[in-house]
Amino acid sequence: VTAFAERADRYDEGWLGRWHHDVATRSAAIAATAQPAAGRVLDVGCGTGYLLGELATRLPDATELIGVDAAPPMVATARPRTTDPRVRYSVALAESLPFRDNSFDLVVSTVSFDHWSDQPAGLAECRRVLRVGAHLVLTDLISSWLWPTTLTTRRRARTVGRARALLDAAHLHPTHWQPIPPFLRAVTAQAVE
Ligand SMILES: C[S@@+](CC[C@H](N)C(=O)[O-])C[C@H]1O[C@@H](n2cnc3c(N)ncnc32)[C@H](O)[C@@H]1O
C-alpha cells in the first residue's frame, strides 16, 4: 500500500497505466453484463478510479458508485477526476468495509485482491455488503501458470482451485471465469445464503 501511495500521481502513466486501463475496461464489461441494473456499486482497491468511471458510463441505473482504497493518495487522486455526482471515494480496507450488510448490488475489484493482507476476510466483507443474488466481479492473478508461486506465497489465491475454495468459504458462488492472458482471470461470483 505504501508503494501504491508513493506513485499514485503517476499510476495511470506509461504502458503499465494503459494495461491497468485495459484490464479495468474488460472487467467493467463483464460486471455490466452480470448486473446490468445495479443500483449501488462498490469498487474495492479502486486506485485512481478508472474502473468506476467506466462503470458509471455502462450502468445508467446506478444511483451510487463508491470506490475505496487503502492508500489515501490514490483516493486523493481519484476524487477530482470525476464530475459525476453519483461517484465518491473514501479510504478503507477490503478487510473492514465501512458499509451496511446487504447494501450493494455489485462489488468489483481489479488487480487489488493479490495485495490484500487477509484474502478470506476481504472476501467475507465483500459478501457481507452484497445483497443475496448480487455479484462480485474479481479480476486478479489467477492462473495455473502461477501454481509454482503458491509454494512460497501460501496466503495468496493465485490458482483457480484456491480462488474457488476461498470464494466458496465466503458464500460467493463462482459462475464464470474469464481468462485475461497471460496471468489474470475475471471471476464472476454470486452472493448466496
Ligand atoms: C494495482 S492497484 C489496482 C488499482 C485499480 N483497481 C486498478 O485496477 O488500476 C492495487 C490497489 O489496491 C489497493 N489495496 C491494497 N491492499 C488493499 C486493501 N487491503 N484494501 C483496500 N485496498 C487495497 C492499493 O492501495 C492499490 O491502490
Side-chain angles (χ1 to χ4, degrees):
V1 169
T2 305
F4 287 116
E6 283 167 1
R7 65 185 183 92
D9 57 342
R10 306 182 305 280
Y11 180 78
D12 296 275
E13 294 174 3
W15 69 268
L16 195 54
R18 286 193 295 279
W19 179 76
H20 281 127
H21 289 183
D22 180 52
V23 169
T25 301
R26 293 186 196 208
S27 303
I30 292 167
T33 303
Q35 206 76 40
R40 295 189 82 229
V41 179
L42 175 66
D43 180 3
V44 181
C46 62
T48 57
Y50 186 84
L51 172 60
L52 224 47
E54 286 283 307
L55 285 172
T57 306
R58 290 167 194 262
L59 297 172
D61 294 337
T63 52
E64 254 187 302
L65 300 107
I66 301 171
V68 297
D69 199 283
M74 284 293 200
V75 170
T77 304
R79 277 187 182 136
R81 292 192 177 178
T82 183
T83 53
D84 189 327
R86 300 173 301 160
V87 177
R88 66 182 165 92
Y89 296 98
S90 58
V91 177
L93 287 174
E95 295 86 347
S96 177
L97 294 172
F99 303 108
R100 284 180 288 112
D101 297 0
N102 313 315
S103 56
F104 287 93
D105 305 298
L106 176 66
V107 175
V108 294
S109 185
T110 54
V111 290
S112 179
F113 180 57
D114 201 62
H115 300 288
W116 299 356
S117 57
D118 187 338
Q119 290 185 328
L123 289 179
E125 280 293 87
C126 291
R127 168 64 191 90
R128 182 183 65 76
V129 302
L130 276 171
R131 63 174 176 74
V132 173
H135 288 91
L136 166 71
V137 174
L138 182 75
T139 300
D140 222 294
L141 289 169
I142 301 172
S143 164
S144 51
W145 292 103
L146 297 172
W147 178 81
T149 71
T150 64
L151 298 174
T152 52
T153 51
R154 294 182 189 282
R155 295 170 62 198
R156 300 279 176 264
R158 296 279 170 91
T159 65
V160 169
R162 288 159 62 107
R164 186 189 295 280
L166 288 177
L167 289 162
D168 282 340
H171 296 230
L172 291 160
H173 176 64
T175 55
H176 186 64
W177 300 81
Q178 175 73 49
I180 302 180
F183 300 123
L184 301 185
R185 259 188 181 73
V187 53
T188 305
Q190 190 169 37
V192 293
E193 296 277 11

